[in-house]
Amino acid sequence: PPDSAIISVTRAIVSGKYNGYGPSHGYLKARQAIAEKYTLYNKEADITRTLTEEDICITSGCSGALRIAMSVLAGHGDNVLIPKPGFGLYKTINGNNNVQSREYNLLPDEDWQIDLKHMESLIDENTKFILINNPSNPCGAVYSRIHLNNIIKIAEKYQLPIISDEIYGNMVFPGETFISLPSLTNEVPILVTSGIAKQYCCPGWRLGWIMIYDCHFRFGLNIRNAIRRLSQVIVGSNTLI
């Protein structure tokens, strides 16, 4: 990890201020910092996605963010769309929630882009969300603006929210560009999951977050309140971090 992170954690330990349970959804200053960093502006499309601390829930790693986000949007008897191949935890969380995983294909001969026709064919009245992982684990794909816009069109057509797993955001090779999905739409409500493990080289420190991009308030208070309540299951993330 960078020296600044190690120094900050050392100071937190020595201060003695964080040896208890904080708010289950995270300290205010941390949520404000995340909201400021991930407020998005797309000049080309004139789209601004402003976040406040109320749009952030800090979790025990990105895996904790995924568990809460997926559990909030789907339950027993529902189905959701996840990538194949994809991160194995998606199916594990769905199985634990008695939710059917419908796996849309990624195309190896097309830089592991999503087979959009196959994705659309899996949608029915019990489908609750589309999950995408960009940049992709395990395939390493980085989706283009055009491809992301095509995913958004499907979500709009069927009025489905999206969970966008962006834990590898901005970790791309020279010449590639990472585009955060909510920067491309004001219409589709999106839960973005991320954390510090990958970009800051500190897996195991257990700090992730959910970001709620929902400028038309289509999630309403129910989803926001449910996210906060589920954060109480483990009484919050690692307070020292």
Side-chain angles (χ1 to χ4, degrees):
D3 289 344
S4 57
I6 295 171
I7 291 169
S8 293
V9 174
T10 302
R11 286 175 177 166
I13 295 170
V14 172
S15 75
K17 295 179 180 179
Y18 306 102
N19 295 328
Y21 298 114
S24 66
H25 60 298
Y27 287 116
L28 176 62
K29 286 186 178 180
R31 289 187 287 116
Q32 288 173 332
I34 294 166
E36 181 179 352
K37 179 177 176 62
Y38 289 98
T39 286
L40 301 171
Y41 176 58
N42 182 343
K43 185 177 181 180
E44 181 180 326
D46 193 27
I47 290 174
T48 300
R49 303 301 299 267
T50 302
L51 294 176
T52 73
E53 64 273 11
E54 296 303 314
D55 300 312
I56 308 298
C57 180
I58 295 179
T59 62
S60 180
C62 188
S63 59
L66 285 165
R67 179 185 60 80
I68 292 174
M70 296 171 71
S71 300
V72 160
L73 294 184
H76 181 76
D78 296 328
N79 69 72
V80 301
L81 309 188
I82 63 173
K84 179 183 180 180
F87 182 36
L89 185 64
Y90 304 147
K91 291 183 72 174
T92 301
I93 293 170
N94 286 331
N96 188 61
N97 292 339
N98 291 309
V99 170
Q100 181 188 10
S101 296
R102 293 190 174 180
E103 298 176 279
Y104 58 80
N105 292 328
L106 304 183
L107 301 169
D109 295 331
E110 297 182 28
D111 293 329
W112 298 102
Q113 291 190 111
I114 296 169
D115 184 338
L116 296 174
K117 289 183 178 179
H118 184 235
M119 170 191 275
E120 189 169 4
S121 74
L122 299 174
I123 297 172
D124 66 17
E125 66 275 8
N126 293 319
T127 304
K128 297 304 180 184
F129 64 79
I130 300 169
L131 189 152
I132 73 163
N133 180 202
N134 177 50
S136 167
N137 173 19
C139 300
V142 184
Y143 296 148
S144 69
R145 182 182 302 271
I146 292 173
H147 194 56
L148 291 170
N149 277 322
N150 286 333
I151 296 167
I152 289 168
K153 288 177 183 177
I154 292 174
E156 281 194 54
K157 179 179 177 180
Y158 294 95
Q159 296 187 327
L160 290 173
I162 296 175
I163 295 177
S164 187
D165 180 356
E166 299 184 1
I167 186 64
Y168 293 97
N170 292 316
M171 297 179 69
V172 297
F173 289 110
E176 299 290 340
T177 301
F178 164 71
I179 300 171
S180 182
L181 188 68
S183 71
L184 300 178
T185 177
N186 278 327
E187 297 302 318
V188 177
I190 300 172
L191 298 180
V192 173
T193 62
S194 190
I196 65 172
K198 315 303 184 196
Q199 295 179 45
Y200 298 95
C201 302
C202 49
W205 286 22
R206 310 313 301 145
L207 192 80
W209 49 80
I210 300 170
M211 298 178 282
I212 304 171
Y213 291 93
D214 182 24
C215 58
H216 295 300
F217 210 62
R218 290 183 171 134
F219 282 139
L221 286 175
N222 286 343
I223 294 299
R224 292 168 180 268
N225 289 339
I227 288 173
R228 188 165 293 190
R229 287 170 183 156
L230 282 180
S231 75
Q232 296 170 1
V233 171
I234 63 164
V235 202
S237 63
N238 187 328
T239 55
L240 289 171
I241 305 302

